[in-house]
Structure formats: C-alpha cells, structure tokens
Amino acid sequence: MALYTRVKESIAVITLKNPPVNALSTAVRRGIVESLSQALQDEQVKAVVFCGENNTFCGGADIKEFSGSMSGPPLVPMIHSIEASEKLIVAAIEGVALGGGLELALGCHYRVADTNARLGLPEVTLGLLPAAGGTQRLPRLIGITAALELITTGRHISAKEALKLGIVDQVIEGNAVLAAMALALSVIGQPLNARRLSLQAPAWVPDVDYVCEAALARVKQRSRGAMAPVACVQAVRAAAMLPYSKGMEKERQLMDMLFRSSQARAMQYAFFAQRSAGKWSLPNGAQWNNTKARNVERVGVIGLGTMGQGIAVSLVKAGISVVAIEVDTKQLELGKKAVTAMLQRYAQRQGVSSPLHLLKFTLSFHQLRDVDLVIEAVFEDMNLKKRVFSELCKVLKENTIICTNTSGLNVDELAAVTDRQHLVVGMHFFAPAHVMRLLEVVYGSGSSPEAVAIAMALGKRMQKVCVAVGNCSGFVGNRMLKHYMDQSVYLLEEGATPEQVDQALEEFGFAMGIFKVADLSGLDVGWRVRKASGLISPDIDPVKPSRWRFGRRYCPLPDMLCQQGRLGQKTGHGWYLYNSPGSKEAKCDPEILKFLEDYRLKYGIIPRRISSQEVIERCVFSLANEGLRILEEGITAGPEDIDIIYLFGYGWPRYRGGPMFYAAQVGLSVVLEKLEHYHHLQPDVPSLEPSQLLRKLVAEGSPPIQQWKSHIKNLHSQL
Ligand SMILES: CCCCCCC/C=C/C(=O)SCCNC(=O)CCNC(=O)[C@H](O)C(C)(C)COP(=O)(O)OP(=O)(O)OC[C@H]1O[C@@H](n2cnc3c(N)ncnc32)[C@H](O)[C@@H]1OP(=O)(O)O
C-alpha cells in the first residue's frame, strides 16, 4: 500500500509500504493512485514527495506478480499521471531505486538521493526491459550512450554516479525526505514542462546507428543468445529516433514479446532460486533461521597456490584479517607477491586505501593460534590434507573451525583425523577464487549446524553465492560435470570434433565449450584424479588403452593427450592449438583431427555425423539426470540449489535457468524418453540410465519444479 501524509501545509508525502523492498505490488500501485488523487484534490498541497518506508525507496515491480494474472492500476499510466501532475513532485531516494522504482522516480519532476542509495534498471537480468517508460525517459535524461550501458547491463550505480550522469538532482547525507521537501519548497511555482522527460525531444545523436550497432555487438558477445539485451538496444534506439509516444509503443511491443518468453521465466526463476539457496537447511532440521553463526574476524589460509591466493584476496577484500601459510620461503614469496599485486590492483581500481595491513605471511603453523577459522587450500591429495589437518589440531584454539577447499574429496574422512569433527566443513571455492561467485559449503555427517552457519555467513561476507551441499564424491557441481564430460569425449570417439561439440554448447548458451574449459583448467587436473581413483594403472596398454574400465565404457582420449604433453593452454596445445604456452586464443588443430581419425581406425569405430541436438541432449540430459540423483539422495535441499551452482560456477546460461529448470522446461517426459534412447544405445554407461526420481516425477504427471520437493522422500525442508 501507500501512506498519504500532510507534513507541512503545502507538502504531502506519499510513502510506499511493502516490506522488505517496497516493490510495486497491486496494492502499492492502488495506494499510489489513490494518494496522488488525494494530493491533487487538496488545494493547500502545492508539492508532493514520494518516498519508501524503512529508508528504502523501491525495489521495482513486484516480480512475484509476473507469474500470475496482473491486476490493478498499470505502471505506465500511473507514472504518466505523476509526470503530468500540475503539482510539483519530488522523489526522495533512500536505499534502492531499481527497475520500476527508478522509472517511477524518472516520472517525478526532481530526484534527491541519499549518499548510500543505489539506482539502476536491472530488468534485463530478469529477461525483461524497463517497460514503464525507462527506455524512453532515461535516454532523454542522460543520452543514449550512458542509457544503453545502464539498461543493457542492469548495473546498479551509486548515488554519486547517478548525480554525475544527471539522473538525480541532489545527493545528500542525512534525511533524503527532508532534503526533498526543502528542494520542493525552493522550486515551487517554477514551470514544470522542462522537468517532464516525456516532453523532451528524442535523444538523437548524429552517430545513433553506429552507437546502437556497437551496443548490439557488445550485448550479443556478452550474453550470447539472450533476447532481453537485444530488445533493450532496440527500445533505446527508438528513444533516439522517435517521438515519445511512438517510442513507448515500441517499448510495449518489445516487452510483450519478452514478458511471454521462456527466457524471462527462467531468469525470474533464477532470481528467486538465488535467494532460496541462501535459506539453507540440513537433513537434521537445522537451518538458516534457527542456527546462529558466531563472528569470524581472523582466518588462516593454508597453501598459497592459485586457489589459496584467490581465497586470501577475497577474505581481505571483505575486511577480514588473514594469516597465510606456505611450506617454504620460495612458495611463500611467490604467493605473497601474487596476493599483494592483486590487492594493490583492486585498491587502485576502487580508489580505496590498500588493505595489505590485514595480511600476515608466515611459514609457521603457530601463527594460527588466534584464528577463528582456517581454510586449507593445499594440493588435492587426501594424505597431504590429512597431515595438514592433524598438524592444525595441535595449534588451533579448541573452537576454531577447520575448512577444506577440496573440490571433491571425502570431508568425513578428513574430519576423522581431527579432534573436532563437528567443526569441520568443506568450503569449495571455484577458480579463480577472487572472481568466481560460487561457494559450495559442504557439510559432513558430523558437521555441526553452527559450523555450517559460520561458513555460509563467511562466504556471504566474501560476496559469494553460497550453497549448502551434502558430502559425496565431487559434491554437486563436479559430480554432475563428470557425466557431461564423459558424454563429450564419447562424442569425439563417435565422430565429432572438439570444435563441433564446443560450438553446439556455446550456441546453447554456455560461456565456453567443454573442451575450451578443459584446456583452460589444464588436462592434467583430471588425469591426476583418474590416476588416484585407479582408473589409470601401470598395466594398461599405452598404445591401445582399453575403452572399458571397471565394467563401464571409458574414453582414454584425455589420458592419451596428457601422455603426449598436451595439457591445454599452459603447454600451448591441448584439445586446441594456441599461439604459445599461456595464450588464450583457441584454434582448430589439424593434428588433433588426425589423432582422432587414427584413434577411430585403431578401434574400428566408423565415424558418423553428429548433430548439435545430439550433443546437447547427451551432454545436458546426462548432467540433469545426475542432478536428479543428487536430489533423490538429499544432497541438496532442492532443485534451486543445483541450478544456482550451475549458474554461478559453471557458466550455465542464466536465460535457461539451470539444468533442473531446463529439464522441467523441456519436459521431464521428453528427458526421460531421450535418456532411455541413449541408454539403450550405450548400455555400458550407467549414468545414462534414467534416475528413479525422473521416472517418479514423470509418473506423477511432471509437476512444476517448485513442487518437486514434495515428491522427494529424502528432502529436508527449507520452510
Ligand atoms: C507487463 C507488466 C509489467 C510492467 C513492468 C514494468 C517494468 C518494471 C519492471 C521491474 O521493475 S522488474 C523488477 C526490477 N527490480 C529488480 O530487479 C530488483 C530486484 N531486487 C534486488 O536486486 C534485491 O532484492 C535488492 C532490492 C537490491 C535488495 O537486496 P537484499 O540483498 O537486501 O535483499 P534480497 O534478499 O535480495 O531481497 C529481500 C526480499 O525481497 C524480495 N524482493 C526483492 N526485490 C523484489 C521485487 N522487485 N519483487 C518482489 N520481491 C522482491 C526478495 O525475493 C527477498 O524475498 P525473500 O527471499 O526474503 O522472501
């Protein structure tokens, strides 16, 4: 709703009330229309100030309402009547003015913002565009170049930047409502037409075509396959070329198309899935709102390789003191140099003072005696990690939490060597750890709810998107990825090339194809894991290695590449060819094509043409199938957690929602039918066998994803 108050004789305040972010729900829009009419009818009122309850102006349209039938006063005419008002209207922006919230403010005649306010038009991140006049008013206010950048990225900006761009008229420290009233009193009586953005001429510039083409090229490259950014450019172009009413017509047409799209549904699902992942729960009933996390101020980071460096940087950026440990002086110096350089670059970019004083580098475990939590980031070797854990217990305070950054080793086995199994959890960061947002917080069978709460809270403070997951080999992301990778190499055996597979995956929307990712990470990473797991043993024929291991189909191609020293980007060749070791531009390598031909000849495989559809079905459906097994086992609390892991850790296209959402959108019965088909063709690939949960969901009528939880026996509640 909206609250109408008369504060001074001549000023009325309309306060949006819809906690927590005062989203423009039907009730709020009704309240605004009624309050505005009251203000306009009251002869004594000369000016109106719009503000939001609890120091939050407005988080935009109510996203929850998008999935139902929309009712109540529509936003566009409501904002029009604000702008057309003969009485002066000022927006007092505190907290956030986002999406429809900022569009409402753009309809006001003046805007005052608190210094800490954040503004933006993030509709593009929901698969939409700012369709309450935002695409037409903003370019008229700040020009098309700046408007294109804000609207196509959905970036939130500070009040300071908004002032510089001309979006707000004043930035104040203190009470924005009082400042808005003071501004209103100082300008009452002045003509308003110049303040009505819809009355301004189109935002035309001589090079409008060039600017829009460049923006289009940028958005196509950045968000391959996403419709909303392209529509945003088209709408802003209309603001530059057309009179306001025609531009609004274009905005409406584009919004109609986006609003009904599966991409918008996927992105709105992703918005809520991200928030649901933060509301973690454990099988024993402990959850985010019944478990307290004590504060962490000092953290030890063990190992300053690439992962340890990134973790240390993220911690320091969050204002946390770090004691970083290495085994010898040389490694310590290398780590120190890298961490210091990253933090200095960060400080320079942000224009803040360098946070290096929060860091201590040492060779001695004794320096860890005061830390509240340690994150072990040593080499991925169980015995080494066990030794580190045992040593840690000798020096740490008795309530210090011990975390491991393993990417898939058994957390329980590690916890068993400590004197505090209840305080051991996994914190699986993704490389590079100072950039990637995902953090899997892995609870073992003995982890206490408090330890999980502490790790989740610490991750959040480090700006990570945290997902609590149970302990199983590879946890969630890597466990699923294995099946996707297996299918991709089987496709090579059967006739595909790395470029073909990657192209199909990139057209699907992945940021990078699987073979490019493998080259980037280094092929030796998986090689080492396969050796440790016994898949590669000395008795395997090096010339014609077996294509079956432990009774299952196995593809030795990646091992054969490693044997040739083709480890990916770092050696200048892997699945692709690079100009030099370390360079990033992947080129098709004729040697690989020849190698694949020879391989097929050697094993008597007759190559066949493989369609992009088959690539997607085999790679993506086997991934989703494993996700369903994970759900069945109760490793995550719901399908949303899995989708968030894929969106934030594995370059899954946001406009496809995540693998679980995608499976639901394609149709679970279609996924089941395809998996049955491929499993029939590959009976020695057990992971292609449809999971029990998939069969159950299909048998129960393929319920919408939001209802899956109630169909899964094991699942713990997040309510
Ligand atoms: C054809 C008819 C349609 C015409 C539409 C016209 C064009 C306008 C479109 C829009 O305005 S779309 C919405 C644009 N706004 C946004 O995208 C903002 C989304 N929200 C956020 O970015 C953040 O929530 C925040 C506002 C920055 C606050 O962040 P914070 O970390 O403090 O809290 P959260 O955990 O994110 O959110 C708290 C709580 O509030 C819910 N929520 C937030 N924004 C909205 C919203 N716009 N609509 C509905 N609900 C919202 C969020 O889900 C959380 O809920 P709970 O998890 O606590 O239940």
Side-chain angles (χ1 to χ4, degrees):
M1 57 177 265
L3 184 73
Y4 179 82
T5 358
R6 279 274 301 280
V7 280
K8 283 194 192 299
E9 250 187 25
S10 58
I11 297 187
V13 173
I14 299 177
T15 309
L16 312 188
K17 282 168 84 85
N18 182 15
V21 301
N22 300 321
L24 294 162
S25 62
T26 303
V28 172
R29 297 196 309 278
R30 275 208 184 102
I32 292 175
V33 170
E34 284 161 13
S35 304
L36 185 64
S37 149
Q38 202 174 342
L40 295 180
Q41 279 165 25
D42 188 334
E43 280 186 3
Q44 295 204 310
V45 170
K46 303 285 179 249
V48 178
V49 169
F50 267 103
C51 64
E53 195 182 44
N54 287 333
N55 309 100
T56 300
F57 184 70
C58 176
D62 189 335
I63 306 165
K64 285 194 283 294
E65 288 187 352
F66 291 172
S67 52
S69 57
M70 310 269 289
S71 60
L75 267 182
V76 170
M78 184 189 93
I79 295 175
H80 259 288
S81 53
I82 291 171
E83 191 191 56
S85 150
E86 286 307 322
K87 295 186 180 178
L88 169 71
I89 305 197
V90 184
I93 300 173
E94 295 174 322
V96 290
L98 296 172
L102 178 55
E103 292 177 285
L104 186 152
L106 291 173
C108 297
H109 306 121
Y110 290 85
R111 288 159 290 280
V112 173
D114 168 62
T115 30
N116 296 318
R118 284 182 300 146
L119 298 86
L121 293 174
E123 286 89 339
V124 70
T125 65
L126 299 166
L128 303 173
L129 52 70
T135 67
Q136 303 304 300
R137 286 198 178 88
L138 190 66
R140 283 174 164 78
L141 183 61
I142 65 172
I144 63 164
T145 306
L148 274 170
E149 196 272 326
L150 286 186
I151 293 174
T152 57
T153 60
R155 187 167 71 86
H156 297 187
I157 58 171
S158 65
K160 195 171 145 206
E161 188 175 351
L163 182 67
K164 210 164 142 199
L165 286 168
I167 296 177
V168 297
D169 303 288
Q170 258 183 30
V171 171
I172 58 101
E173 222 158 306
N175 188 323
V177 181
L178 291 180
M181 289 198 282
L183 174 72
L185 289 174
S186 72
V187 295
I188 277 177
Q190 290 183 11
L192 290 177
N193 269 358
R195 310 294 310 179
R196 295 187 172 111
L197 294 172
S198 72
L199 299 185
Q200 310 311 309
W204 191 81
V205 284
D207 52 356
V208 59
D209 284 328
Y210 171 78
V211 173
C212 290
E213 284 309 314
L216 212 50
R218 258 194 319 275
V219 301
K220 282 186 174 165
Q221 201 217 1
R222 198 174 46 219
S223 38
R224 129 196 343 260
M227 288 152 49
V230 174
C232 286
V233 176
Q234 290 167 338
V236 173
R237 189 171 189 279
M241 310 291 285
L242 302 174
Y244 179 78
S245 61
K246 290 267 188 304
M248 284 300 286
E249 180 55 24
K250 182 79 182 167
E251 181 187 274
R252 192 191 58 74
Q253 283 167 4
L254 290 164
M255 179 65 162
D256 279 354
M257 179 265 297
L258 293 177
F259 198 75
R260 283 179 280 107
S261 69
S262 57
Q263 293 199 358
R265 274 196 294 280
M267 292 173 92
Q268 288 153 30
Y269 160 83
F271 174 84
F272 290 113
Q274 187 176 341
R275 274 128 195 104
S276 126
K279 297 176 180 170
W280 57 272
S281 67
L282 305 185
N284 63 11
Q287 54 188 35
W288 63 284
N289 56 358
N290 65 14
T291 313
K292 236 178 129 56
R294 77 184 128 88
N295 206 20
V296 167
E297 283 313 325
R298 283 174 305 273
V299 172
V301 175
I302 322 290
L304 276 179
T306 315
M307 287 309 290
Q309 290 168 17
I311 295 168
V313 168
S314 298
L315 285 163
V316 170
K317 275 161 61 175
I320 296 163
S321 296
V322 170
V323 179
I325 298 224
E326 253 303 346
V327 279
D328 62 39
T329 317
K330 189 173 163 218
Q331 294 302 324
L332 190 70
E333 279 310 310
L334 281 174
K336 183 175 176 179
K337 209 168 142 196
V339 170
T340 308
M342 282 191 261
L343 285 170
Q344 276 168 342
R345 272 200 303 276
Y346 159 78
Q348 227 165 27
R349 257 199 321 268
Q350 300 290 313
V352 294
S353 57
S354 168
L356 288 176
H357 62 281
L358 292 171
L359 266 166
K360 188 190 270 181
F361 295 93
T362 176
L363 294 172
S364 161
F365 266 44
H366 288 286
Q367 298 286 339
L368 295 170
R369 60 186 173 270
D370 292 331
V371 300
D372 306 310
L373 181 146
V374 285
I375 303 174
E376 162 279 306
V378 302
F379 205 65
E380 190 75 345
D381 173 322
M382 180 57 98
N383 289 328
L384 173 63
K385 285 182 192 281
K386 280 183 179 171
R387 278 202 303 280
V388 169
F389 271 42
S390 307
E391 286 305 307
L392 283 172
C393 292
K394 293 182 192 158
V395 292
L396 297 177
K397 292 184 292 191
E398 66 174 15
N399 65 350
T400 297
I401 309 280
I402 306 184
C403 302
T404 170
N405 175 50
T406 172
S407 57
L409 295 177
N410 188 336
V411 172
D412 284 341
E413 198 178 327
L414 280 168
V417 303
T418 70
D419 55 1
R420 58 189 84 195
Q421 299 192 21
H422 62 299
L423 297 183
V424 176
V425 285
M427 281 182 94
H428 177 207
F429 292 87
F430 288 69
H434 60 298
V435 176
M436 294 292 287
R437 302 268 328 269
L438 180 64
L439 174 65
E440 283 182 329
V441 171
V442 188
Y443 54 87
S445 55
S447 308
S448 68
E450 195 205 5
V452 176
I454 291 171
M456 290 291 285
L458 177 64
K460 194 170 172 194
R461 227 174 125 190
M462 294 164 81
Q463 311 270 310
K464 302 295 175 198
V465 176
C466 309
V467 185
V469 303
N471 181 31
C472 62
S473 176
F475 312 136
V476 172
N478 286 347
R479 171 171 161 183
M480 288 167 68
L481 192 72
K482 181 183 178 309
H483 305 288
Y484 168 89
M485 285 166 72
D486 283 351
Q487 285 302 320
S488 66
V489 283
Y490 298 157
L491 286 162
L492 297 191
E493 289 184 316
E494 293 166 38
T497 64
E499 300 83 72
Q500 258 179 319
V501 174
D502 278 357
Q503 192 185 340
L505 295 171
E506 286 167 16
E507 274 166 11
F508 178 79
F510 275 104
M512 245 191 207
I514 183 71
F515 293 107
K516 286 189 192 144
V517 173
D519 274 1
L520 175 69
S521 322
L523 302 190
D524 51 331
V525 178
W527 198 30
R528 230 179 287 120
V529 174
R530 291 191 294 278
K531 278 182 186 163
S533 67
L535 278 165
I536 305 170
S537 62
D539 55 335
I540 284 174
D541 179 352
V543 183
K544 194 178 173 198
S546 163
R547 292 180 54 230
W548 279 267
R549 311 269 162 105
F550 301 136
R552 297 171 180 197
R553 180 172 177 180
Y554 180 84
C555 172
L557 280 168
D559 304 336
M560 293 163 92
L561 254 62
C562 289
Q563 277 155 8
Q564 295 170 24
R566 300 187 68 115
L567 302 184
Q569 284 185 8
K570 61 182 162 194
T571 56
H573 54 193
W575 294 109
Y576 291 92
L577 184 64
Y578 301 86
N579 281 339
S580 57
S583 88
K584 295 194 180 335
E585 196 197 334
K587 290 189 284 200
C588 168
D589 188 350
E591 260 185 40
I592 280 285
L593 302 185
K594 173 83 175 53
F595 166 69
L596 289 174
E597 271 169 29
D598 292 348
Y599 175 90
R600 293 180 197 120
L601 267 177
K602 186 163 27 180
Y603 289 95
I605 303 168
I606 300 166
R608 60 187 178 86
R609 251 201 92 256
I610 290 170
S611 66
S612 293
Q613 186 185 343
E614 180 174 344
V615 173
I616 299 303
E617 286 174 358
R618 283 174 57 178
C619 293
V620 171
F621 292 169
S622 54
L623 183 84
N625 195 32
E626 193 61 22
L628 286 156
R629 281 198 192 96
I630 282 171
L631 274 177
E632 218 166 30
E633 292 168 22
I635 298 287
T636 63
E640 295 86 356
D641 290 353
I642 297 177
D643 284 334
I644 288 306
I645 286 173
Y646 265 79
L647 288 174
F648 285 92
Y650 294 86
W652 182 280
R654 197 171 171 89
Y655 62 80
R656 292 196 194 272
M660 300 292 97
F661 183 84
Y662 179 68
Q665 207 169 41
V666 169
L668 294 179
S669 54
V670 174
V671 177
L672 175 60
E673 191 189 307
K674 292 286 179 188
L675 283 168
E676 276 172 340
H677 167 74
Y678 290 119
H679 188 230
H680 178 73
L681 299 176
Q682 302 173 58
D684 51 357
V685 181
S687 62
L688 282 176
E689 182 167 10
S691 64
Q692 278 180 31
L693 179 58
L694 177 57
R695 291 190 188 284
K696 182 171 191 275
L697 289 171
V698 172
E700 288 168 11
S702 299
I705 193 164
Q706 291 78 5
Q707 290 170 23
W708 287 8
K709 282 181 203 170
S710 57
H711 293 253
I712 307 169
K713 254 197 282 146
N714 267 334
L715 224 55
H716 25 115
S717 161
Q718 274 180 312
L719 300 174

